[in-house]
Amino acid sequence: LGWFLSDNASNQTLWQFPSTNLPANSHLVVFASGKNRRTPGAPLHTNFRLSGGGEYLALVLPDGSTVASEFPTVFSAASQ
């Protein structure tokens, strides 16, 4: 199983990445659009949307419970 993204601290397995390989020091763009698109090689979209005012966001390991990285309750474009 792959890694997960979630905007809900009590449901860490909200959206799972499709099988994909990334070279070292590379990145992958995922849109939090609510469109739920997981086709490898195509633009990826989560099944949830992020509020422009900010909310929780986590990257979760394949075990479904270990948070690798998270933005606590509030993130916003203004704070970046």
PDB file of all heavy atoms in Angstrom, residues 18-37:
ATOM      1  N   PRO A  18      -1.438   6.745  -5.660  1.00  0.00           N
ATOM      2  CA  PRO A  18      -1.351   5.565  -6.526  1.00  0.00           C
ATOM      3  C   PRO A  18       0.089   5.052  -6.528  1.00  0.00           C
ATOM      4  O   PRO A  18       1.006   5.753  -6.097  1.00  0.00           O
ATOM      5  CB  PRO A  18      -1.732   6.118  -7.901  1.00  0.00           C
ATOM      6  CG  PRO A  18      -1.319   7.548  -7.849  1.00  0.00           C
ATOM      7  CD  PRO A  18      -1.558   7.979  -6.420  1.00  0.00           C
ATOM      8  N   SER A  19       0.290   3.866  -7.029  1.00  0.00           N
ATOM      9  CA  SER A  19       1.651   3.324  -7.150  1.00  0.00           C
ATOM     10  C   SER A  19       2.445   4.208  -8.092  1.00  0.00           C
ATOM     11  O   SER A  19       2.020   4.467  -9.222  1.00  0.00           O
ATOM     12  CB  SER A  19       1.614   1.905  -7.713  1.00  0.00           C
ATOM     13  OG  SER A  19       0.989   1.054  -6.800  1.00  0.00           O
ATOM     14  N   THR A  20       3.575   4.674  -7.605  1.00  0.00           N
ATOM     15  CA  THR A  20       4.426   5.542  -8.416  1.00  0.00           C
ATOM     16  C   THR A  20       5.843   5.504  -7.883  1.00  0.00           C
ATOM     17  O   THR A  20       6.042   5.209  -6.709  1.00  0.00           O
ATOM     18  CB  THR A  20       3.850   6.987  -8.405  1.00  0.00           C
ATOM     19  OG1 THR A  20       4.113   7.631  -9.607  1.00  0.00           O
ATOM     20  CG2 THR A  20       4.365   7.817  -7.308  1.00  0.00           C
ATOM     21  N   ASN A  21       6.803   5.744  -8.719  1.00  0.00           N
ATOM     22  CA  ASN A  21       8.205   5.820  -8.298  1.00  0.00           C
ATOM     23  C   ASN A  21       8.694   7.239  -8.550  1.00  0.00           C
ATOM     24  O   ASN A  21       8.467   7.788  -9.624  1.00  0.00           O
ATOM     25  CB  ASN A  21       9.075   4.843  -9.096  1.00  0.00           C
ATOM     26  CG  ASN A  21       8.753   3.412  -8.770  1.00  0.00           C
ATOM     27  OD1 ASN A  21       8.582   3.059  -7.616  1.00  0.00           O
ATOM     28  ND2 ASN A  21       8.646   2.588  -9.792  1.00  0.00           N
ATOM     29  N   LEU A  22       9.384   7.786  -7.555  1.00  0.00           N
ATOM     30  CA  LEU A  22       9.965   9.119  -7.692  1.00  0.00           C
ATOM     31  C   LEU A  22      11.469   9.021  -7.520  1.00  0.00           C
ATOM     32  O   LEU A  22      11.938   8.413  -6.559  1.00  0.00           O
ATOM     33  CB  LEU A  22       9.414  10.069  -6.619  1.00  0.00           C
ATOM     34  CG  LEU A  22       7.949  10.440  -6.705  1.00  0.00           C
ATOM     35  CD1 LEU A  22       7.558  11.307  -5.518  1.00  0.00           C
ATOM     36  CD2 LEU A  22       7.658  11.156  -7.996  1.00  0.00           C
ATOM     37  N   PRO A  23      12.227   9.652  -8.404  1.00  0.00           N
ATOM     38  CA  PRO A  23      13.675   9.683  -8.220  1.00  0.00           C
ATOM     39  C   PRO A  23      14.016  10.492  -6.965  1.00  0.00           C
ATOM     40  O   PRO A  23      13.227  11.323  -6.519  1.00  0.00           O
ATOM     41  CB  PRO A  23      14.192  10.387  -9.473  1.00  0.00           C
ATOM     42  CG  PRO A  23      13.068  10.369 -10.455  1.00  0.00           C
ATOM     43  CD  PRO A  23      11.814  10.271  -9.652  1.00  0.00           C
ATOM     44  N   ALA A  24      15.186  10.268  -6.414  1.00  0.00           N
ATOM     45  CA  ALA A  24      15.644  11.023  -5.252  1.00  0.00           C
ATOM     46  C   ALA A  24      15.613  12.517  -5.552  1.00  0.00           C
ATOM     47  O   ALA A  24      15.865  12.935  -6.681  1.00  0.00           O
ATOM     48  CB  ALA A  24      17.059  10.593  -4.878  1.00  0.00           C
ATOM     49  N   ASN A  25      15.287  13.300  -4.536  1.00  0.00           N
ATOM     50  CA  ASN A  25      15.240  14.766  -4.618  1.00  0.00           C
ATOM     51  C   ASN A  25      14.243  15.293  -5.647  1.00  0.00           C
ATOM     52  O   ASN A  25      14.433  16.361  -6.208  1.00  0.00           O
ATOM     53  CB  ASN A  25      16.629  15.342  -4.895  1.00  0.00           C
ATOM     54  CG  ASN A  25      17.608  14.961  -3.816  1.00  0.00           C
ATOM     55  OD1 ASN A  25      17.312  15.101  -2.635  1.00  0.00           O
ATOM     56  ND2 ASN A  25      18.758  14.442  -4.200  1.00  0.00           N
ATOM     57  N   SER A  26      13.196  14.546  -5.924  1.00  0.00           N
ATOM     58  CA  SER A  26      12.171  15.007  -6.851  1.00  0.00           C
ATOM     59  C   SER A  26      10.906  15.351  -6.062  1.00  0.00           C
ATOM     60  O   SER A  26      10.867  15.214  -4.848  1.00  0.00           O
ATOM     61  CB  SER A  26      11.884  13.951  -7.915  1.00  0.00           C
ATOM     62  OG  SER A  26      11.351  12.800  -7.317  1.00  0.00           O
ATOM     63  N   HIS A  27       9.892  15.797  -6.739  1.00  0.00           N
ATOM     64  CA  HIS A  27       8.647  16.139  -6.075  1.00  0.00           C
ATOM     65  C   HIS A  27       7.456  15.691  -6.916  1.00  0.00           C
ATOM     66  O   HIS A  27       7.610  15.346  -8.090  1.00  0.00           O
ATOM     67  CB  HIS A  27       8.571  17.649  -5.814  1.00  0.00           C
ATOM     68  CG  HIS A  27       8.529  18.462  -7.075  1.00  0.00           C
ATOM     69  ND1 HIS A  27       9.674  18.820  -7.755  1.00  0.00           N
ATOM     70  CD2 HIS A  27       7.500  18.962  -7.787  1.00  0.00           C
ATOM     71  CE1 HIS A  27       9.335  19.515  -8.821  1.00  0.00           C
ATOM     72  NE2 HIS A  27       8.024  19.617  -8.872  1.00  0.00           N
ATOM     73  N   LEU A  28       6.301  15.695  -6.305  1.00  0.00           N
ATOM     74  CA  LEU A  28       5.064  15.295  -6.955  1.00  0.00           C
ATOM     75  C   LEU A  28       3.989  16.290  -6.538  1.00  0.00           C
ATOM     76  O   LEU A  28       3.810  16.544  -5.344  1.00  0.00           O
ATOM     77  CB  LEU A  28       4.678  13.878  -6.506  1.00  0.00           C
ATOM     78  CG  LEU A  28       3.416  13.270  -7.079  1.00  0.00           C
ATOM     79  CD1 LEU A  28       3.560  13.051  -8.582  1.00  0.00           C
ATOM     80  CD2 LEU A  28       3.128  11.941  -6.394  1.00  0.00           C
ATOM     81  N   VAL A  29       3.291  16.860  -7.496  1.00  0.00           N
ATOM     82  CA  VAL A  29       2.226  17.822  -7.200  1.00  0.00           C
ATOM     83  C   VAL A  29       0.908  17.064  -7.093  1.00  0.00           C
ATOM     84  O   VAL A  29       0.580  16.248  -7.958  1.00  0.00           O
ATOM     85  CB  VAL A  29       2.131  18.897  -8.303  1.00  0.00           C
ATOM     86  CG1 VAL A  29       0.941  19.813  -8.067  1.00  0.00           C
ATOM     87  CG2 VAL A  29       3.425  19.694  -8.377  1.00  0.00           C
ATOM     88  N   VAL A  30       0.174  17.340  -6.028  1.00  0.00           N
ATOM     89  CA  VAL A  30      -1.156  16.764  -5.826  1.00  0.00           C
ATOM     90  C   VAL A  30      -2.108  17.921  -5.532  1.00  0.00           C
ATOM     91  O   VAL A  30      -1.852  18.725  -4.641  1.00  0.00           O
ATOM     92  CB  VAL A  30      -1.181  15.762  -4.648  1.00  0.00           C
ATOM     93  CG1 VAL A  30      -2.590  15.219  -4.439  1.00  0.00           C
ATOM     94  CG2 VAL A  30      -0.196  14.637  -4.879  1.00  0.00           C
ATOM     95  N   PHE A  31      -3.188  18.002  -6.289  1.00  0.00           N
ATOM     96  CA  PHE A  31      -4.179  19.053  -6.092  1.00  0.00           C
ATOM     97  C   PHE A  31      -5.230  18.599  -5.085  1.00  0.00           C
ATOM     98  O   PHE A  31      -5.780  17.510  -5.217  1.00  0.00           O
ATOM     99  CB  PHE A  31      -4.862  19.392  -7.418  1.00  0.00           C
ATOM    100  CG  PHE A  31      -3.916  19.900  -8.461  1.00  0.00           C
ATOM    101  CD1 PHE A  31      -3.352  19.031  -9.387  1.00  0.00           C
ATOM    102  CD2 PHE A  31      -3.565  21.239  -8.503  1.00  0.00           C
ATOM    103  CE1 PHE A  31      -2.468  19.492 -10.352  1.00  0.00           C
ATOM    104  CE2 PHE A  31      -2.675  21.716  -9.457  1.00  0.00           C
ATOM    105  CZ  PHE A  31      -2.124  20.829 -10.385  1.00  0.00           C
ATOM    106  N   ALA A  32      -5.504  19.426  -4.088  1.00  0.00           N
ATOM    107  CA  ALA A  32      -6.557  19.129  -3.107  1.00  0.00           C
ATOM    108  C   ALA A  32      -7.853  19.740  -3.641  1.00  0.00           C
ATOM    109  O   ALA A  32      -8.331  20.761  -3.163  1.00  0.00           O
ATOM    110  CB  ALA A  32      -6.190  19.681  -1.745  1.00  0.00           C
ATOM    111  N   SER A  33      -8.424  19.095  -4.647  1.00  0.00           N
ATOM    112  CA  SER A  33      -9.545  19.649  -5.409  1.00  0.00           C
ATOM    113  C   SER A  33     -10.881  18.974  -5.136  1.00  0.00           C
ATOM    114  O   SER A  33     -11.914  19.471  -5.555  1.00  0.00           O
ATOM    115  CB  SER A  33      -9.253  19.510  -6.898  1.00  0.00           C
ATOM    116  OG  SER A  33      -9.231  18.131  -7.250  1.00  0.00           O
ATOM    117  N   GLY A  34     -10.863  17.803  -4.505  1.00  0.00           N
ATOM    118  CA  GLY A  34     -12.094  17.041  -4.304  1.00  0.00           C
ATOM    119  C   GLY A  34     -12.474  16.192  -5.505  1.00  0.00           C
ATOM    120  O   GLY A  34     -13.510  15.536  -5.502  1.00  0.00           O
ATOM    121  N   LYS A  35     -11.640  16.145  -6.554  1.00  0.00           N
ATOM    122  CA  LYS A  35     -11.966  15.401  -7.775  1.00  0.00           C
ATOM    123  C   LYS A  35     -11.614  13.917  -7.706  1.00  0.00           C
ATOM    124  O   LYS A  35     -12.034  13.143  -8.553  1.00  0.00           O
ATOM    125  CB  LYS A  35     -11.266  16.037  -8.978  1.00  0.00           C
ATOM    126  CG  LYS A  35     -11.762  17.427  -9.277  1.00  0.00           C
ATOM    127  CD  LYS A  35     -11.029  18.020 -10.459  1.00  0.00           C
ATOM    128  CE  LYS A  35     -11.512  19.429 -10.743  1.00  0.00           C
ATOM    129  NZ  LYS A  35     -10.762  20.039 -11.851  1.00  0.00           N
ATOM    130  N   ASN A  36     -10.796  13.514  -6.745  1.00  0.00           N
ATOM    131  CA  ASN A  36     -10.418  12.112  -6.525  1.00  0.00           C
ATOM    132  C   ASN A  36      -9.878  11.427  -7.785  1.00  0.00           C
ATOM    133  O   ASN A  36     -10.446  10.457  -8.273  1.00  0.00           O
ATOM    134  CB  ASN A  36     -11.571  11.303  -5.933  1.00  0.00           C
ATOM    135  CG  ASN A  36     -11.077  10.007  -5.326  1.00  0.00           C
ATOM    136  OD1 ASN A  36      -9.913   9.883  -4.959  1.00  0.00           O
ATOM    137  ND2 ASN A  36     -11.959   9.042  -5.207  1.00  0.00           N
ATOM    138  N   ARG A  37      -8.757  11.915  -8.267  1.00  0.00           N
ATOM    139  CA  ARG A  37      -8.108  11.326  -9.441  1.00  0.00           C
ATOM    140  C   ARG A  37      -6.772  10.741  -9.017  1.00  0.00           C
ATOM    141  O   ARG A  37      -5.919  11.434  -8.490  1.00  0.00           O
ATOM    142  CB  ARG A  37      -7.928  12.391 -10.523  1.00  0.00           C
ATOM    143  CG  ARG A  37      -9.261  12.891 -11.011  1.00  0.00           C
ATOM    144  CD  ARG A  37      -9.128  13.874 -12.126  1.00  0.00           C
ATOM    145  NE  ARG A  37     -10.453  14.321 -12.543  1.00  0.00           N
ATOM    146  CZ  ARG A  37     -10.663  15.444 -13.194  1.00  0.00           C
ATOM    147  NH1 ARG A  37      -9.658  16.228 -13.533  1.00  0.00           N
ATOM    148  NH2 ARG A  37     -11.884  15.779 -13.523  1.00  0.00           N
TER     149      ARG A  37
END
